[in-house]
Amino acid sequence: MSVIQQLLQRVWKTITKTTVVATILTSLVATNALAADKIYRLKLAETWGPNFPIFGDATKNMAKMAKEMSNGRLIIRIDSANKHKAPLGIFDMVKSGQYDMGHSGSYYWKGKVPNTLYFTSMPFGMLPTEQYAWFYHGGGMELMEQVYAPHNLLSFPGGNTDTQMGGWFQKEVNTVADLKGLKMRIPGFAGEILAELGAKPTNIAPGELYTSLERRTIDALEWVGPSLDLRMGFHKIAPYYYTGWHEPGTELQFLVNKRKFDSLPKDLQAILTIAMKTAAYDMYTQSKHESGKNWASIQQDYPDVKVKNFPEEVMAALKTANTKLLAKHAEGNPLAAEIQQSQADYIKQVRPWSTISHGAYLNSQAE
Amino acid sequence: MSVIQQLLQRVWKTITKTTVVATILTSLVATNALAADKIYRLKLAETWGPNFPIFGDATKNMAKMAKEMSNGRLIIRIDSANKHKAPLGIFDMVKSGQYDMGHSGSYYWKGKVPNTLYFTSMPFGMLPTEQYAWFYHGGGMELMEQVYAPHNLLSFPGGNTDTQMGGWFQKEVNTVADLKGLKMRIPGFAGEILAELGAKPTNIAPGELYTSLERRTIDALEWVGPSLDLRMGFHKIAPYYYTGWHEPGTELQFLVNKRKFDSLPKDLQAILTIAMKTAAYDMYTQSKHESGKNWASIQQDYPDVKVKNFPEEVMAALKTANTKLLAKHAEGNPLAAEIQQSQADYIKQVRPWSTISHGAYLNSQAE
């Protein structure tokens, strides 16, 4: 109850002594005022640790926009992994309502809900803006809703890392045979593809990656791209930086508990939705900037780092393995088949345009 | 005054007959209610006609977001060119306060304020997301503010068309000599560059372009890209579609009267700013989608249309002419020199990254 309402009630009571009438009137005023004044507080759990660059900026940016646009009526508290201790428990915690929101990556849940695999980035898939176009104009959002709605969850694009690099290698990869026995840190679906070709994908804690690569416990690793690779220092110990194929447009994810979302006033629903959308786009812009800046720095300080493309033969073999694995994932899963088809159709439609626009332009400007 | 306030006043008067007290109390309530209920109405003038695709969707999208997020407190009325009759008068009308906002293109004002040239797209300049990164992380927004602030204007990114194509040509361009005497519809700075090489840039009303190209009154024209070229029908009458060089990432513009903006409550300023930013990003996504869809349609129905790149010799000559003209534009204009340097430095930083990420990926995926 605001000061004005209290004052009104007190004066009214004093003058009229008619508390019933006073209560009715002040509650009428209060109803009106409350709709505009009530503060909604949401708790968000993110997969990342505190002050994780770029990814963590996306959640802070989103919460700041929501607060400013709502005049303080929508307050989002962000808990990083050090607080909630469950970096890969975001899906469950938001589904159950322990948290109202999450910031993570859709493909982390593929062991639990296989069709969540398709909404981050797929090998030989879409570039970032191609994928936004698929989400918002090509049926992607509707398919994502079908996958998440049964879990009382809404999922939204959560920020793009830009095209991920193929990784840091100690030795050149010239033939498919060079992949045999290759020990590489590469998690998820891309790891499955490499395993098809005889590589040994391993998972290693981030804190041990540098030492593992330096001591040749592993032969190669992929992380993100220059935006986040620079501070890991891999360029100091590995001579080859391979261009990307496995995550051409990695999009993070905002998760929202659907019941909680539905309980918000319509204007705060709009504010939250648009704050998430804008934070996602903004993160793509920031990733572009940080990767540009950091790659320039690596080139300047470590001019011997060589950028390599996988040979055509290797790319063809990776594609074949990808096609085979996708078919396996779609067996007895009609929705997976539908999502795969939607993505393949969309790439077929948009890619010739990307090639004659950005592709041709970048080729014409290369020195 | 709301129904509740009227009711309160009437009941109060009836019971107490003390109209002075009643007036003080109701005005206290009204003040509180007004801050949250007052409706702010802004008028926006756009350069485009009514229902102009994509560009017009951007303003509607922006106004819709502002209305929903503000719970109806921020209402933006859009006047298209058929209403205000001054498609190229937006700058003046927003500066004077005749309109509160505008949607147009910054480079349209170069005859009036030369340094507005730099905030749409420059020949051999940045791709769309490179340019967003320059705006938001590379100093671009601050430079744009320096150019517009003296005119009581705020300027914001207003939506990207994606990379524009080099245009539709009746004959191939194989040498610089082929540009001599070439009659081409290509306005603005790019036209100046072509004139340096002996071409005859002409300006023709959009409604007459098709006939002019068909009857060979002109030899070539540029419009936008497949997103907007398809409905113009040029692919039916010109065999060559050249890839782009002169507007790699055309960004439209939202203009806001600065005094009007400053008079808005802080939360509505945030809502308006974020609605404009999101509508701009959204338009880029939509342009990608529409160009992909329309280019696929052209390829299917007109398989004889040939995509061509200008030969290296021609590109080199265009670049030389561009450099010469830029130097001329910077003479005695230190801010122009500063903006040019900022853009050149940013391209130098970001482009190697674009080349090893999107460039390498598109090349590896080409068939």
Side-chain angles (χ1 to χ4, degrees):
Chain A
M1 193 180 285
S2 74
V3 173
I4 294 166
Q5 287 151 27
Q6 285 176 8
L7 175 71
L8 179 63
Q9 196 172 50
R10 199 175 318 139
V11 174
W12 182 265
K13 279 187 194 172
T14 310
I15 297 176
T16 68
K17 312 285 181 194
T18 316
T19 52
V20 175
V21 175
T23 305
I24 291 167
L25 276 171
T26 50
S27 75
L28 272 170
V29 175
T31 306
N32 197 31
L34 268 176
D37 289 348
K38 180 174 168 184
I39 293 171
Y40 291 80
R41 293 180 191 280
L42 304 179
K43 289 186 305 178
L44 179 149
E46 61 186 3
T47 291
W48 343 109
N51 302 314
F52 193 85
I54 308 176
F55 296 19
D57 295 335
T59 51
K60 292 185 191 81
N61 183 22
M62 187 275 297
K64 182 168 180 281
M65 285 190 276
K67 182 182 172 185
E68 289 176 358
M69 292 197 290
S70 68
N71 200 19
R73 289 166 53 226
L74 183 58
I75 301 295
I76 298 161
R77 189 188 88 194
I78 298 162
D79 283 359
S80 303
N82 62 321
K83 183 80 180 275
H84 57 68
K85 312 283 187 202
L88 297 179
I90 309 288
F91 182 102
D92 288 333
M93 294 193 295
V94 180
K95 178 177 179 172
S96 72
Q98 185 185 341
Y99 277 90
D100 307 306
M101 298 180 66
H103 190 239
S104 191
S106 185
Y107 61 7
Y108 292 144
W109 325 125
K110 79 182 172 78
K112 189 185 301 284
V113 181
N115 291 341
T116 57
L117 171 66
Y118 301 100
F119 304 100
T120 307
S121 184
M122 293 299 287
F124 306 108
M126 292 172 265
L127 290 170
T129 306
E130 293 177 342
Q131 191 166 268
Y132 283 129
W134 176 70
F135 273 126
Y136 296 123
H137 299 276
M141 288 302 288
E142 293 77 6
L143 289 166
M144 186 154 69
E145 193 181 345
Q146 276 189 59
V147 170
Y148 280 92
H151 301 280
N152 182 38
L153 289 169
L154 297 170
S155 174
F156 301 89
N160 206 288
T161 66
D162 207 352
T163 303
Q164 299 214 357
M165 289 293 283
W168 295 94
F169 286 70
Q170 293 292 15
K171 281 184 281 189
E172 284 188 63
V173 175
N174 294 313
T175 65
V176 177
D178 290 341
L179 294 175
K180 271 234 159 30
L182 183 92
K183 279 173 290 178
M184 180 169 185
R185 183 271 176 190
I186 180 166
F189 192 75
E192 292 180 43
I193 293 174
L194 277 174
E196 284 283 322
L197 300 178
K200 306 282 174 216
T202 62
N203 213 344
I204 290 171
E208 292 161 28
L209 280 173
Y210 184 92
T211 308
S212 302
L213 186 64
E214 190 180 25
R215 297 189 183 161
R216 311 279 176 123
T217 310
I218 53 176
D219 306 304
L221 61 80
E222 69 82 47
W223 190 239
V224 178
S227 61
L228 290 170
D229 289 9
L230 176 66
R231 66 179 199 145
M232 301 294 278
F234 305 133
H235 55 285
K236 300 176 187 170
I237 51 170
Y240 303 110
Y241 203 16
Y242 272 82
T243 58
W245 60 279
H246 69 302
E247 295 197 19
T250 311
E251 186 71 32
L252 304 181
Q253 165 190 56
F254 282 115
L255 279 174
V256 187
N257 180 289
K258 192 173 178 313
R259 271 193 300 277
K260 189 73 181 194
F261 184 87
D262 291 341
S263 76
L264 294 174
K266 284 273 177 277
D267 59 333
L268 296 188
Q269 287 180 355
I271 283 176
L272 181 60
T273 305
I274 290 160
M276 290 187 293
K277 188 182 209 183
T278 310
Y281 281 137
D282 274 347
M283 187 182 124
Y284 176 34
T285 301
Q286 186 186 359
S287 294
K288 183 76 73 191
H289 174 70
E290 297 288 339
S291 269
K293 187 162 59 89
N294 291 357
W295 177 237
S297 154
I298 291 172
Q299 280 190 301
Q300 169 142 356
D301 298 342
Y302 293 82
D304 292 340
V305 165
K306 281 191 187 57
V307 173
K308 302 286 289 179
N309 302 314
F310 290 107
E312 273 186 39
E313 175 205 323
V314 173
M315 288 293 265
L318 290 167
K319 269 193 200 180
T320 304
N322 180 53
T323 306
K324 183 178 156 190
L325 276 176
L326 282 178
K328 209 169 114 189
H329 274 249
E331 266 171 31
N333 183 341
L335 184 52
E338 186 185 344
I339 300 167
Q340 288 181 17
Q341 193 60 52
S342 170
Q343 295 189 328
D345 289 348
Y346 201 79
I347 291 170
K348 200 177 164 195
Q349 176 177 287
V350 75
R351 184 59 49 76
W353 164 243
S354 295
T355 303
I356 68 168
S357 55
H358 293 214
Y361 187 68
L362 289 171
N363 287 337
S364 80
Q365 299 303 296
E367 278 159 18
Chain B
M1 193 181 282
S2 74
V3 172
I4 293 167
Q5 288 153 23
Q6 285 175 7
L7 176 71
L8 179 62
Q9 196 172 49
R10 199 175 319 139
V11 174
W12 183 265
K13 280 185 193 172
T14 311
I15 297 176
T16 68
K17 312 283 180 197
T18 315
T19 52
V20 175
V21 175
T23 305
I24 291 168
L25 277 171
T26 50
S27 75
L28 272 169
V29 175
T31 305
N32 196 32
L34 268 176
D37 289 346
K38 180 172 169 186
I39 293 172
Y40 292 81
R41 293 181 191 279
L42 304 180
K43 290 186 302 178
L44 179 149
E46 61 185 4
T47 291
W48 343 109
N51 302 314
F52 193 85
I54 308 176
F55 296 19
D57 295 335
T59 51
K60 292 186 191 81
N61 183 22
M62 186 275 296
K64 183 167 180 279
M65 285 190 276
K67 183 182 172 187
E68 289 177 357
M69 292 198 288
S70 68
N71 201 18
R73 290 166 52 226
L74 182 58
I75 301 295
I76 298 159
R77 190 189 86 193
I78 299 162
D79 283 359
S80 303
N82 62 321
K83 183 78 179 278
H84 58 69
K85 312 283 187 201
L88 297 179
I90 309 289
F91 183 101
D92 288 333
M93 295 194 294
V94 180
K95 179 178 178 170
S96 73
Q98 185 184 342
Y99 277 90
D100 307 306
M101 299 180 66
H103 191 238
S104 192
S106 185
Y107 61 8
Y108 292 143
W109 325 124
K110 79 182 171 81
K112 190 185 300 286
V113 181
N115 291 339
T116 57
L117 170 67
Y118 302 100
F119 304 100
T120 307
S121 185
M122 294 298 287
F124 307 108
M126 291 173 267
L127 290 169
T129 306
E130 293 177 341
Q131 190 166 267
Y132 283 130
W134 176 70
F135 272 127
Y136 297 124
H137 299 277
M141 287 302 288
E142 293 77 6
L143 289 166
M144 186 153 69
E145 194 181 344
Q146 276 189 59
V147 170
Y148 280 93
H151 302 278
N152 182 37
L153 289 169
L154 297 170
S155 173
F156 301 89
N160 206 287
T161 66
D162 207 351
T163 303
Q164 299 214 358
M165 289 294 282
W168 296 94
F169 285 70
Q170 294 290 13
K171 281 185 280 188
E172 285 188 63
V173 175
N174 294 313
T175 65
V176 177
D178 289 342
L179 294 176
K180 273 234 157 33
L182 183 92
K183 279 174 290 180
M184 180 170 185
R185 182 271 177 191
I186 181 165
F189 192 74
E192 292 181 42
I193 293 174
L194 276 174
E196 284 283 323
L197 301 178
K200 306 279 174 221
T202 62
N203 213 345
I204 290 171
E208 292 161 29
L209 280 173
Y210 184 92
T211 308
S212 301
L213 186 63
E214 190 179 25
R215 297 191 184 159
R216 310 279 174 126
T217 310
I218 53 176
D219 306 305
L221 61 80
E222 69 83 46
W223 191 238
V224 177
S227 61
L228 291 170
D229 288 8
L230 175 66
R231 65 178 199 147
M232 300 294 279
F234 305 133
H235 55 284
K236 299 176 187 170
I237 51 170
Y240 303 111
Y241 203 15
Y242 273 83
T243 59
W245 61 278
H246 69 302
E247 295 198 19
T250 311
E251 185 72 31
L252 304 181
Q253 166 190 58
F254 283 114
L255 278 175
V256 187
N257 180 288
K258 192 174 178 313
R259 271 192 300 276
K260 189 71 180 192
F261 184 87
D262 291 342
S263 77
L264 294 174
K266 284 272 175 277
D267 59 333
L268 295 189
Q269 287 181 354
I271 282 176
L272 182 60
T273 305
I274 291 161
M276 291 187 292
K277 187 181 209 184
T278 311
Y281 280 138
D282 274 348
M283 187 183 125
Y284 176 35
T285 301
Q286 187 185 359
S287 294
K288 182 75 72 191
H289 174 71
E290 297 289 339
S291 268
K293 186 162 60 88
N294 291 357
W295 176 237
S297 154
I298 291 172
Q299 280 190 299
Q300 170 141 356
D301 298 342
Y302 292 82
D304 292 340
V305 165
K306 281 192 187 57
V307 173
K308 303 284 291 178
N309 302 313
F310 290 107
E312 273 185 40
E313 175 205 324
V314 172
M315 289 293 265
L318 290 167
K319 268 192 200 180
T320 304
N322 181 53
T323 306
K324 183 179 157 190
L325 276 177
L326 282 178
K328 208 169 116 191
H329 273 248
E331 265 170 32
N333 183 341
L335 184 52
E338 186 185 344
I339 300 168
Q340 288 183 17
Q341 193 60 52
S342 169
Q343 295 190 328
D345 289 348
Y346 202 80
I347 291 170
K348 199 177 165 197
Q349 177 177 288
V350 76
R351 184 59 49 77
W353 164 242
S354 295
T355 303
I356 68 169
S357 55
H358 293 214
Y361 187 68
L362 289 171
N363 287 338
S364 79
Q365 300 301 295
E367 276 159 20

